[in-house]
Amino acid sequence: MIEIKNVSKWYGDFKVLDDCSAVVSKGEVVVVCGPSGSGKSTLMKTVNGLEPVQQGEIRVADTVVTDRKTRLTALRSRVGMVFQHFELFPHLNVLDNLVLAQTKVLKRPLAEARERAMLLLRRVDMEAFSEKFPGNLSGGQQQRVAVARSLAMDPMVMLFDEPTSALDPEMVGEVLEVMMQLAREGMTMIVVTHEMGFARKVSNRVIFMDRGRIVEDCPKDDFFERRDERSERARDFLDKILQH
């Protein structure tokens, strides 16, 4: 479903991605983790062209993301993305947040878009809040709406960029539960997160990054249970993060 091949990216003289390669198969859930500044979010944003690259190739299904002729707007309509800070339109109510892109991008009739939106709000337990505005919702509720909005576009892939990092601790579980349900249903997902409990429970593979490089790319059981076979940098990361 996704192929990242020898991708490098610079910000001026700073190399933020260094010869990164990875493959994500259809239905896989891949967690990307690592210390702050390691390039995790940047790598994920290259998958739908939000971050251009100077070297390498990226494919999503049969689309070459790095080809300058590729219509990135069309690609992004099929690659859902959920950010740290929700990115909901504050002047639209919850229902209209889900309807807008369906009618403008997918050209769905309004009635069909509204029906699809309500179905997805029910799925994330937000149906009762359809007429409320984002400012009247908790962080966890806003993030669940953001997930539903991405799903309304019928994506073939979902990208999650630290979706719980801006949430209060008691709100994290409700968002992770929605993500777990997506994983159980076979959605192809790349998740940048420090939630190692989620990684252990749901992911198929873990990619560990440091200083712009993919240091580890292995099955989740190998990453967590066979730490003596991991790199020193990955072991140090796990020792620190699993203490908390």
Side-chain angles (χ1 to χ4, degrees):
M1 182 64 79
I2 301 169
E3 182 178 10
I4 300 168
K5 187 175 181 181
N6 304 120
V7 164
S8 293
K9 176 180 176 61
W10 287 261
Y11 290 134
D13 294 331
F14 178 65
K15 197 172 190 179
V16 64
L17 297 177
D18 187 358
D19 196 32
C20 295
S21 296
V23 173
V24 180
S25 299
K26 185 177 181 179
E28 266 197 310
V29 178
V30 176
V31 162
V32 183
C33 63
S36 297
S38 59
K40 309 181 297 295
S41 293
T42 301
L43 179 68
M44 192 178 63
K45 289 175 183 175
T46 65
V47 172
N48 64 356
L50 282 177
E51 289 281 2
V53 302
Q54 286 79 44
Q55 185 176 300
E57 182 178 274
I58 300 168
R59 289 178 176 268
V60 177
D62 57 355
T63 300
V64 181
V65 181
T66 45
D67 188 333
R68 292 186 178 183
K69 298 189 292 292
T70 295
R71 291 181 59 245
L72 292 177
T73 302
L75 171 73
R76 290 170 190 151
S77 72
R78 301 301 315 282
V79 179
M81 186 156 189
V82 178
F83 299 88
Q84 294 181 41
H85 297 291
F86 326 131
E87 306 295 341
L88 299 174
F89 295 114
H91 64 290
L92 298 179
N93 67 24
V94 164
L95 181 61
D96 289 340
N97 260 282
L98 269 68
V99 166
L100 182 63
Q102 293 186 71
T103 56
K104 297 296 185 183
V105 179
L106 300 183
K107 307 301 181 184
R108 276 185 180 147
L110 179 60
E112 183 182 339
R114 289 174 66 91
E115 182 180 356
R116 174 77 173 147
M118 291 303 293
L119 178 69
L120 289 167
L121 288 173
R122 194 174 308 127
R123 181 174 173 180
V124 299
D125 199 24
M126 289 297 296
E127 184 181 19
F129 298 85
S130 63
E131 299 301 321
K132 290 190 176 293
F133 287 82
N136 300 125
L137 304 177
S138 70
Q141 289 170 334
Q142 289 187 63
Q143 195 63 295
R144 280 148 58 198
V145 171
V147 173
R149 183 176 65 174
S150 290
L151 292 174
M153 303 299 287
D154 300 328
M156 55 185 172
V157 173
M158 285 286 286
L159 309 176
F160 292 87
D161 184 15
E162 301 196 34
T164 60
S165 65
L167 301 180
D168 292 335
E170 63 268 24
M171 298 176 184
V172 170
E174 61 190 59
V175 175
L176 292 180
E177 182 55 42
V178 172
M179 294 168 64
M180 289 177 191
Q181 180 62 33
L182 288 177
R184 288 192 288 267
E185 293 170 2
M187 176 64 74
T188 306
M189 298 163 59
I190 300 178
V191 184
V192 173
T193 185
H194 290 302
E195 297 289 342
M196 292 297 100
F198 173 85
R200 274 181 144 159
K201 189 172 183 179
V202 181
S203 71
N204 302 106
R205 291 205 338 271
V206 174
I207 290 175
F208 174 78
M209 296 187 67
D210 186 41
R211 298 183 181 181
R213 295 187 65 87
I214 293 176
V215 179
E216 302 281 353
D217 182 351
C218 60
K220 60 118 175 262
D221 289 340
D222 288 355
F223 187 73
F224 289 109
E225 307 303 334
R226 304 174 71 173
R227 271 189 257 175
D228 56 323
E229 299 178 14
R230 305 280 68 81
S231 64
E232 182 179 351
R233 188 67 187 90
R235 292 198 305 270
D236 181 57
F237 174 82
L238 281 169
D239 287 344
K240 288 178 180 176
I241 202 164
L242 293 178
Q243 288 177 3
H244 302 287

